[in-house]
Amino acid sequence: MVPVMLLTWREILRRRVFLVTVLLTAVFLILYGWGLSYVARVGERAPSVSNLLDQYLQGAGLLVAGVFFANFMVAFLVIFSSAGTISGEIESGILCSILPRPVERWQVYLGKWAGLAIWGLLYAGVLFWALVWMVHLFLDFPLDMTSLLRAFVALELMPLVLSAVTLLGSAYLPTLGNGVAVTLLYGLALLGGLMEQFMSVGASSSAGERIGLVTSLLMPSDALYRRMVYEVTAGSGIPVGDSAARMLGPFASFNAPSDAFLVYVGVYIVAVFLWGCLRFTWRDI
């Protein structure tokens, strides 16, 4: 399994995915820090942002907005670096040179998923803590490590979900079709979450909750983001109430997923992985 995982990382380096990712992430962080420094300078001149609650809401809003766009970066990185893992290597003949060796197919599949998942976990972790540190540095955002660690765990589940789903798709679809399919599935989850948030403004909406539930069960990525938002705001124990919703706008989380849903996400990852592993085991190469 370990040699396959290392081969997966080497393939990522060969395709220059790592280089492009580092360069574009650096650009994103520079622009984000520039924006934070501007907000900090304006805040020093504006007396309205003077108490701890306003300061916390401003920092939480900018942190959540940063992680919202970081979600896209993590998602697209995982999806497009995983889209051709099985189908692309079958077409290129790489797998034909690996499978005749004394190694089981499930070990090859596990090694590929582990390589992709660890790559996504490291990237998401570095990006998350970089954003947290920058908001704390520029805006003196109070760090509640308990809530931030829970938010970090929710965010780290997303690369595991996306890598499992994309690798499953790669066992069925060609590279381009798989990339399009998983991207649309990710977009469907995002749309369902946004519809649930907008339909829940001011009153409870059973229709919005059903839409959000169905899309979250199909693809839990947006629900994990909503749980992360909850942990950064209400999960910290600071009574932000409706003020957080007004500050965060479409980034708010009115219906945060429960701990039971996180258990479902764990079951979802295992089930999708086993499905893909069985498909790869039975597939003709």
Side-chain angles (χ1 to χ4, degrees):
M1 184 193 80
V2 175
V4 176
M5 183 174 64
L6 296 177
L7 182 63
T8 302
W9 289 346
R10 190 171 68 180
E11 190 68 15
I12 291 174
L13 293 175
R14 186 185 67 82
R15 295 175 182 174
R16 299 186 179 178
V17 174
F18 178 78
L19 177 61
V20 172
T21 300
V22 170
L23 291 177
L24 293 181
T25 303
V27 172
F28 168 72
L29 291 177
I30 290 172
L31 293 176
Y32 186 72
W34 186 16
L36 290 177
S37 64
Y38 175 78
V39 172
R41 289 195 301 270
V42 172
E44 291 176 356
R45 298 192 299 266
S48 59
V49 185
S50 56
N51 59 67
L52 181 60
L53 180 58
D54 288 340
Q55 177 184 346
Y56 181 83
L57 288 175
Q58 185 182 65
L62 290 170
L63 174 60
V64 169
V67 177
F68 177 80
F69 291 103
N71 264 341
F72 285 99
M73 299 170 64
V74 174
F76 292 149
L77 171 67
V78 173
I79 291 172
F80 290 108
S81 62
S82 311
T85 302
I86 302 297
S87 57
E89 293 188 0
I90 291 176
E91 295 169 0
S92 63
I94 295 177
L95 278 179
C96 295
S97 63
I98 297 177
L99 293 180
R101 300 179 181 182
V103 59
E104 299 291 337
R105 285 198 181 188
W106 68 266
Q107 293 176 314
V108 174
Y109 191 88
L110 176 60
K112 289 186 173 297
W113 179 76
L116 295 168
I118 292 173
W119 162 242
L121 289 172
L122 290 175
Y123 178 72
V126 170
L127 195 54
F128 177 81
W129 290 112
L131 294 173
V132 170
W133 176 80
M134 291 173 71
V135 174
H136 174 69
L137 177 66
F138 286 105
L139 302 180
D140 196 23
F141 178 67
L143 299 182
D144 183 86
M145 291 308 299
T146 302
S147 61
L148 287 175
L149 285 173
R150 289 196 296 259
F152 172 68
V153 170
L155 180 64
E156 287 284 80
L157 287 174
M158 193 184 71
L160 299 179
V161 169
L162 290 174
S163 58
V165 172
T166 309
L167 201 58
L168 169 64
S170 184
Y172 282 94
L173 300 171
T175 301
L176 181 59
N178 184 34
V180 171
V182 180
T183 302
L184 291 177
L185 190 59
Y186 175 81
L188 178 65
L190 178 63
L191 176 63
L194 288 174
M195 290 182 64
E196 180 181 4
Q197 300 307 308
F198 283 120
M199 295 174 70
S200 299
V201 174
S204 178
S205 172
S206 58
E209 292 176 359
R210 285 196 295 269
I211 292 173
L213 176 62
V214 170
T215 55
S216 296
L217 293 177
L218 290 175
M219 171 60 80
S221 56
D222 187 74
L224 291 173
Y225 165 77
R226 301 294 168 187
R227 177 59 185 256
M228 185 276 300
V229 174
Y230 169 78
E231 296 296 351
V232 171
T233 55
S236 65
I238 296 179
V240 294
D242 294 336
S243 300
R246 290 193 298 269
M247 174 68 72
L248 299 179
F251 306 120
S253 179
F254 295 101
N255 299 311
S258 62
D259 292 339
F261 184 83
L262 297 181
V263 175
Y264 166 78
V265 173
V267 175
Y268 178 96
I269 294 170
V270 174
V272 171
F273 171 79
L274 292 177
W275 182 4
C277 191
L278 289 174
R279 167 61 182 171
F280 180 62
T281 302
W282 297 336
R283 177 171 176 170
D284 294 330
I285 304 299

